[in-house]
Amino acid sequence: AVEKDEGSTFLKNELIRLYLEQNDYNAALDVALEIVEKQPEDVSSLVMLGGIYSALNQPAEAIRLYEKALAIDPSSENIHFLLGSEYVKAERSEEAAKLYESLIKTNPSSFAGHFYLGTLNASLKRYDEAEASLMKAVELNPEYDRTYFELINIYEATGKQDKVIQTYKDILEGNP
C-alpha cells in the first residue's frame, strides 16, 4: 500500500508529473523543492528539479543541480547530457565539450559521449573533431540514423560532396 501522508515522495512525484502534463511548471517546482529539501542527495530528485528549472529557462539553477547530481553519480550518461545541454544554453560550450570528453575518458564506448561531443563540435565549426567523434559514434551504434545526418551536415559544410553522396547511398542501401 502507498503511504498516504503529506510527506510521501511517491505521491509528490505523481503530483509533479500531473503538473508537468498541464505545463504548470511553477506548481511542479514548489513540490519538487519540497522533495529535494527532504532528500538533498537523491539523484533522481535533483535531476527532476534541474529539468523543471531548465523548462523555466533558469539554466544557472539547472546547472547547479545537475552538477550536484553528477558528483553523486559520475557515470550517468543522462546527467552528462543534461548538464552539457544546459552549459550550451548558458553559452558555456567549452565546459560542455570538456564534460563530454570526460565521459568518453571514463567510458570510451559511450555512444552518447561521442555523439554529443560530435554535434557540439559541429556547432562550433570544429569539423574535423566533429567528424571523428561522429564516426566513432557510428562504430558504436550504427543503427542511430541521426548520426549519419549529422555527418552529412558536416560534409556539406566542408564541401565534401563526394562524402555526402556516398553517405546518402549507404543509408539507402542499408549499409552505412
Side-chain angles (χ1 to χ4, degrees):
V2 175
E3 185 179 325
K4 293 185 179 181
D5 67 6
E6 264 187 21
S8 170
T9 302
F10 173 80
L11 294 176
K12 287 181 180 180
N13 280 321
E14 285 301 301
L15 189 56
I16 291 168
R17 182 183 61 77
L18 292 169
Y19 284 142
L20 292 176
E21 284 177 4
Q22 296 174 355
N23 294 320
D24 190 347
Y25 295 103
N26 289 315
L29 177 64
D30 291 339
V31 179
L33 285 167
E34 287 178 30
I35 293 172
V36 170
E37 185 178 311
K38 291 184 194 250
Q39 301 174 347
E41 301 299 315
D42 180 64
V43 172
S44 63
S45 297
L46 293 167
V47 168
M48 176 181 49
L49 184 55
I52 294 169
Y53 277 119
S54 178
L56 289 168
N57 200 26
Q58 295 183 33
E61 280 301 306
I63 287 169
R64 181 181 66 79
L65 291 157
Y66 291 148
E67 285 176 341
K68 185 174 181 180
L70 190 62
I72 297 167
D73 185 3
S75 64
S76 169
E77 289 188 355
N78 183 50
I79 299 170
H80 276 86
F81 165 70
L82 294 169
L83 179 55
S85 296
E86 291 303 317
Y87 282 151
V88 170
K89 278 191 214 173
E91 298 181 10
R92 295 166 57 181
S93 295
E94 291 305 320
E95 288 175 77
K98 287 177 185 170
L99 183 70
Y100 299 142
E101 288 166 356
S102 75
L103 174 60
I104 293 167
K105 185 176 181 180
T106 59
N107 182 4
S109 63
S110 169
F111 163 78
H114 290 284
F115 179 79
Y116 296 127
L117 181 60
T119 58
L120 176 63
N121 278 328
S123 73
L124 297 172
K125 299 184 182 353
R126 297 181 199 155
Y127 297 120
D128 291 339
E129 294 95 331
E131 181 181 5
S133 293
L134 291 169
M135 290 303 293
K136 182 64 177 180
V138 165
E139 177 186 318
L140 294 167
N141 184 359
E143 302 301 315
Y144 191 62
D145 292 341
R146 185 169 160 211
T147 310
Y148 301 103
F149 293 105
E150 294 292 339
L151 282 165
I152 288 168
N153 290 336
I154 291 168
Y155 299 148
E156 287 177 338
T158 56
K160 298 178 182 175
Q161 288 306 103
D162 57 328
K163 286 190 172 189
V164 171
I165 292 167
Q166 187 59 53
T167 304
Y168 274 121
K169 284 180 177 180
D170 289 344
I171 292 169
L172 289 170
E173 294 171 7
N175 59 346

